[in-house]
Amino acid sequence: MKKLLAIILCAVMLVSVLPFAVSAKVVDGTFGPNDEYYYKWDYTKGWGGITENTLSIGFNPDYEGEADGILPEYGSALELPWISCVTSAVYDYIMVLEVEDGIKSIPDYAFALLKNADEMNIPDSVEHIGKEAFRDSQVSDLDIPSSVKTVGKYAFMYSAITELTIPEGMTVIGDSAFECMPELTTVHMNDAVTSIGEFAFSNNPKLVNFELPASLEHIGANAFRRCILIDHFDIPATVNYIGENAFKYCKALKAIAIPEGIDVVNEGLFYGCESIETIELPSTIETIEKEAFYQCYALKALDIPAAVTKLASRAFGRCSSLKTIAIPEGITTLTNYMFYECTGLESIDLPSTLTSLGKGIFYRCSSLKSIDLPAGLTSVGSDCFYECKALTSVNVPSSVSNIGKYAFCRCESLTSLEIPSKATLIGKYAYGYFFAKGEGFSISEGSTLIGLAGSTAENYANGLGLNFNAK
């Protein structure tokens, strides 16, 4: 009996290694509420494994009704009817993707996760491409037919497409439509696009050739975020809105002009545009939002329009090449860390309307030597001039009543500071301290406070052992 089993086993093993070629056509059948459509796959398995494999979607030839060409949608790729029917061997070798003529909508996830697919055919009947429809495909050359009007989020995410032409029928590019396409280098826009959605072309690290169409009116938030090779954008005069972070981390961008009519520089608009040297703002700008120019390392100067009434926190933070700037009249408050680590800032003109300096406004502005604070100023925030090592002269106007903690801390060259009698609140370590690594804060020898006898300034000096000169 054992000998017989051994013979059978050997026979089976021998058959399993013999060359063979089997042509198989597997049809999943139909799906959908009325069974109008099907997925099907055709493959040939020969010596060495699967040699040909095509996945297609189309009309059910046995359906007796009239199909509208719009396929059912599924919640994820794992819910597609063909996923559970295809073995991993077949799945891994699907190389050709086909859509039957007459289909109007390619559903979400239709061909997602087919990482070896390198050929794709989309007929002129298709009007919509769903979310993640071709995610991970290895197709490098794709003609999107002119009939396509809308593209869902991440439709070509992680695909190998290198060049893309936006079809004539598409006037609005949806959110994240062409996001995360790691091989994309060139986009040809049509002359009809009026709107580019949020994240539409973001995170495309090789995208370098891109021209905005003259028809454009709207650029959504994060639209070109992390397009690190694009070195210019010519924004047409028709554009009336640019969303937050639209050009964030466009590291090669060198110059840009915002068109007239736009009234806000949105949050993080040029955040991390480390090569940008020139930014032209229109006269219509009224608001500059948080971190609008943060880490624009190469920016040396900027003309802030007279219409600006609001500057949000960290707007110019880490603009290390910025040497001089003028704040327009009408501004009453500079908010937190406005010029944080602007290490090249040498001079600034403050408006007469300014009443408050927020926290850390000139934090580590190590090239700032002197500053004239306006007569109406009432408050100097904590950390305001922290570690301004070159600062030798600053006038604190008589209107100031509050000086926050660390306000003039580690200002090594500021050997004397006059404090007005109205300043009844002087925060901890506000002046006269330096910081030694491993030793913490220590009294800066030779630092002198100047003020009225019996004032808060004298009490502060006496409490720390600082020199005090009474007026």
Side-chain angles (χ1 to χ4, degrees):
M1 184 64 178
K2 290 183 179 180
K3 185 176 181 180
L4 178 62
L5 288 174
I7 293 173
I8 293 172
L9 179 61
C10 288
V12 170
M13 292 176 64
L14 180 63
V15 170
S16 67
V17 299
L18 286 174
F20 68 91
V22 179
S23 180
K25 184 174 182 180
V26 183
V27 179
D28 174 51
T30 61
F31 66 92
N34 298 307
D35 296 336
E36 300 104 319
Y37 312 103
Y38 62 75
Y39 277 100
K40 69 177 180 181
W41 54 96
D42 301 308
Y43 65 93
T44 299
K45 186 173 183 180
W47 179 249
I50 294 172
T51 58
E52 296 178 8
N53 202 345
T54 299
L55 178 66
S56 60
I57 55 177
F59 296 95
N60 178 7
D62 297 325
Y63 180 65
E64 296 180 357
E66 184 176 348
D68 59 8
I70 300 175
L71 279 77
E73 296 287 357
Y74 291 84
S76 72
L78 298 178
E79 295 179 19
L80 291 167
W82 63 272
I83 289 290
S84 60
C85 302
V86 180
T87 64
S88 60
V90 177
Y91 180 88
D92 289 342
Y93 286 91
I94 292 176
M95 291 170 283
V96 181
L97 308 177
E98 291 185 345
V99 179
E100 186 177 338
D101 191 25
I103 296 295
K104 293 181 180 179
S105 176
I106 298 175
D108 295 351
Y109 315 103
F111 300 110
L113 308 180
L114 300 173
K115 296 184 177 182
N116 293 308
D118 59 7
E119 183 178 335
M120 187 187 310
N121 300 305
I122 302 176
D124 290 338
S125 59
V126 172
E127 298 177 358
H128 172 75
I129 297 174
K131 178 172 65 175
E132 298 187 39
F134 296 99
R135 176 173 177 165
D136 287 309
S137 75
Q138 293 306 297
V139 177
S140 60
D141 187 16
L142 174 69
D143 289 328
I144 301 178
S146 59
S147 57
V148 172
K149 298 177 181 177
T150 55
V151 173
K153 288 184 176 181
Y154 319 117
F156 305 98
M157 191 175 190
Y158 305 132
S159 71
I161 295 170
T162 59
E163 189 168 347
L164 192 66
T165 298
I166 304 301
E168 292 299 322
M170 188 180 296
T171 60
V172 175
I173 297 176
D175 296 349
S176 301
F178 303 104
E179 182 179 1
C180 292
M181 299 175 67
E183 302 302 320
L184 184 66
T185 64
T186 303
V187 174
H188 302 285
M189 298 288 285
N190 68 45
D191 294 330
V193 171
T194 60
S195 178
I196 296 175
E198 297 181 3
F199 294 94
F201 293 98
S202 70
N203 297 300
N204 290 328
K206 294 184 180 180
L207 181 59
V208 64
N209 301 309
F210 194 104
E211 298 293 335
L212 298 173
S215 55
L216 191 63
E217 299 175 2
H218 178 99
I219 299 175
N222 299 283
F224 298 97
R225 179 170 178 158
R226 293 191 186 276
C227 291
I228 59 175
L229 295 183
I230 297 179
D231 63 4
H232 76 282
F233 283 101
D234 294 325
I235 304 177
T238 50
V239 171
N240 54 45
Y241 178 82
I242 304 175
E244 62 187 40
N245 304 313
F247 305 110
K248 188 171 185 177
Y249 294 124
C250 288
K251 295 185 177 183
L253 190 62
K254 295 184 181 300
I256 201 165
I258 306 297
E260 288 289 330
I262 290 180
D263 60 4
V264 59
V265 180
N266 266 312
E267 180 178 333
L269 185 59
F270 298 106
Y271 190 119
C273 294
E274 57 188 41
S275 299
I276 202 162
E277 297 176 358
T278 305
I279 300 173
E280 295 181 22
L281 300 179
S283 62
T284 49
I285 293 291
E286 298 175 357
T287 300
I288 295 177
E289 291 289 5
K290 178 182 176 182
E291 298 177 338
F293 306 101
Y294 194 80
Q295 288 183 190
C296 290
Y297 296 136
L299 186 66
K300 294 180 179 179
L302 183 73
D303 291 330
I304 302 176
V308 171
T309 58
K310 177 188 174 184
L311 291 170
S313 62
R314 291 159 58 111
F316 303 96
R318 288 186 170 170
C319 291
S320 54
S321 296
L322 188 67
K323 293 185 179 300
T324 182
I325 197 165
I327 308 299
E329 291 292 325
I331 297 287
T332 59
T333 300
L334 293 184
T335 52
N336 297 348
Y337 296 100
M338 180 66 60
F339 298 99
Y340 173 80
E341 291 189 353
C342 288
T343 54
L345 187 65
E346 297 175 354
S347 65
I348 183 170
D349 291 333
L350 299 175
S352 63
T353 51
L354 191 67
T355 59
S356 175
L357 288 174
K359 182 178 181 179
I361 299 299
F362 300 104
Y363 190 98
R364 287 181 177 162
C365 291
S366 54
S367 297
L368 188 65
K369 294 181 179 180
S370 64
I371 190 168
D372 290 326
L373 301 179
L377 191 70
T378 61
S379 176
V380 177
S382 60
D383 297 301
C384 192
F385 294 93
Y386 184 89
E387 207 172 299
C388 291
K389 293 185 177 183
L391 190 65
T392 59
S393 173
V394 57
N395 69 302
V396 181
S398 61
S399 52
V400 169
S401 60
N402 181 7
I403 298 175
K405 61 182 181 180
Y406 307 106
F408 297 95
C409 187
R410 301 190 72 182
C411 294
E412 299 172 356
S413 301
L414 190 63
T415 56
S416 65
L417 181 68
E418 183 173 340
I419 303 293
S421 59
K422 197 173 182 178
T424 55
L425 180 60
I426 302 175
K428 186 178 180 181
Y429 303 128
Y431 172 72
Y433 280 86
F434 69 93
F435 181 84
K437 189 174 182 180
E439 299 178 11
F441 286 99
S442 301
I443 299 295
S444 180
E445 293 183 9
S447 296
T448 301
L449 271 182
I450 303 170
L452 289 178
S455 66
T456 303
E458 184 177 16
N459 293 334
Y460 177 86
N462 292 338
L464 300 177
L466 293 177
N467 298 323
F468 183 79
N469 286 345
K471 289 180 64 176

